[in-house]
Amino acid sequence: MLFETTKLTRIDSLWQGRMYSVFIIVVSLPILIGIKVGHWPSSVLIIIVSSSILVVAKSKERRENSQ
Amino acid sequence: MAKNANRWLYIILLVAVLSSFAVIIFDLAPKKYWWLVLVTINLAASVSTVYFVKSFGVKVGLSLTLIIAVLGYVFCSSARLLPFVRENDLFSHYYYFTIACLWVVVMALSKALTQNMSIAFRTMFTFLMILFIEYCMMPVMALFEHYKRGHTEYLFYAIQLSGYLVITGFTMIF
């Protein structure tokens, strides 16, 4: 998750770019707690859905920027 | 100076997140005190307040944040919407405050991540993100509440999470 987000998000001083890391922070808390508690299918599902949300958001932004 | 203050707020958020990850992963504190993790959501809410102020201006951004937070707090605390909160002490009000902060974070995220989309896709994506984040964070708060009461089984987490996932699935389908 961290590797993917470091590949996807560019580090800049814009606050819109920093909100991506805020999204990762908010989402990674239930992932870790699910793993430690022992309910690992929930954390796998959260990883899949959140990474798909990130990929869709970044792809839309890139297409808009290239135009 | 104001720029430096905002950057320091962001750095404080990152440090708090790393320390809470260390607490969770390495079992530094007993699980009764894991609700300290919820402090990171409050810090994330302050960062998203900064984002609102940057994007809308000081007056509109602060009033928008206040409206969202006060509405969430009043709605949760007066209607008793959370089924796992039984008592009326300080910790339950801290849960209500954290959920209001979570609504602020979700609104800022949905503005930041869907800024360049079309209107229809933006509405759908915002709806999906609000459902996803709220339904992922609710069982965590239920788990903390049960830890506080002395129940250390993990059954509550599984039951709450499966219930919320079933509700989310039916909402998506219909």
Side-chain angles (χ1 to χ4, degrees):
Chain A
M1 191 79 181
L2 282 175
F3 175 73
E4 180 188 8
T5 50
T6 47
K7 292 288 280 185
L8 279 177
T9 60
R10 60 182 193 280
I11 306 297
D12 52 357
S13 62
L14 286 179
W15 280 91
Q16 191 197 351
R18 292 186 182 179
M19 293 309 283
Y20 283 96
S21 59
V22 172
F23 177 75
I24 296 153
I25 284 163
V26 170
V27 160
S28 60
L29 287 174
I31 291 172
L32 279 179
I33 289 172
I35 288 175
K36 284 301 279 188
V37 152
H39 201 255
W40 59 268
S42 71
S43 51
V44 171
L45 192 140
I46 294 169
I47 287 173
I48 293 170
V49 176
S50 61
S51 56
S52 66
I53 283 177
L54 269 180
V55 166
V56 169
K58 289 304 281 187
S59 64
K60 289 287 174 178
E61 186 183 349
R62 254 178 212 156
R63 182 190 296 169
E64 193 67 30
N65 280 342
S66 67
Q67 285 172 1
Chain B
M1 195 61 197
K3 271 184 184 177
N4 284 334
N6 293 334
R7 195 186 300 152
W8 277 110
L9 187 65
Y10 183 67
I11 291 169
I12 286 171
L13 172 73
L14 290 183
V15 170
V17 163
L18 284 182
S19 57
S20 64
F21 283 178
V23 165
I24 290 176
I25 292 172
F26 299 115
D27 281 330
L28 291 182
K31 286 173 183 171
K32 189 181 169 186
Y33 301 108
W34 271 13
W35 57 265
L36 285 169
V37 169
L38 299 181
V39 173
T40 59
I41 295 175
N42 302 344
L43 283 171
S46 60
V47 170
S48 57
T49 307
V50 171
Y51 174 67
F52 272 140
V53 169
K54 290 274 178 187
S55 57
F56 288 122
V58 177
K59 276 184 189 174
V60 181
L62 280 183
S63 57
L64 199 66
T65 311
L66 265 181
I67 286 170
I68 295 170
V70 169
L71 271 183
Y73 186 82
V74 167
F75 196 60
C76 281
S77 66
S78 68
R80 292 187 172 274
L81 285 178
L82 308 180
F84 46 86
V85 176
R86 298 277 167 77
E87 301 156 0
N88 202 9
D89 55 345
L90 198 64
F91 283 118
S92 58
H93 282 280
Y94 183 62
Y95 285 126
Y96 302 142
F97 176 66
T98 308
I99 287 166
C101 285
L102 194 66
W103 273 101
V104 174
V105 171
V106 168
M107 288 300 168
L109 282 178
S110 61
K111 188 192 177 304
L113 264 71
T114 67
Q115 206 163 31
N116 297 323
M117 299 177 181
S118 61
I119 281 293
F121 200 82
R122 193 172 182 177
T123 312
M124 190 59 213
F125 203 76
T126 304
F127 178 69
L128 195 145
M129 236 166 52
I130 289 172
L131 272 182
F132 175 64
I133 295 179
E134 294 285 331
Y135 286 127
C136 285
M137 283 309 289
M138 284 301 158
V140 175
M141 294 185 190
L143 190 75
F144 290 153
E145 176 70 20
H146 282 288
Y147 279 154
K148 189 173 78 71
R149 269 193 255 147
H151 306 159
T152 50
E153 301 104 24
Y154 305 131
L155 195 63
F156 307 104
Y157 186 81
I159 289 173
Q160 291 263 343
L161 194 76
S162 57
Y164 281 129
L165 287 180
V166 165
I167 292 169
T168 317
F170 274 107
T171 317
M172 299 263 180
I173 289 169
F174 288 112

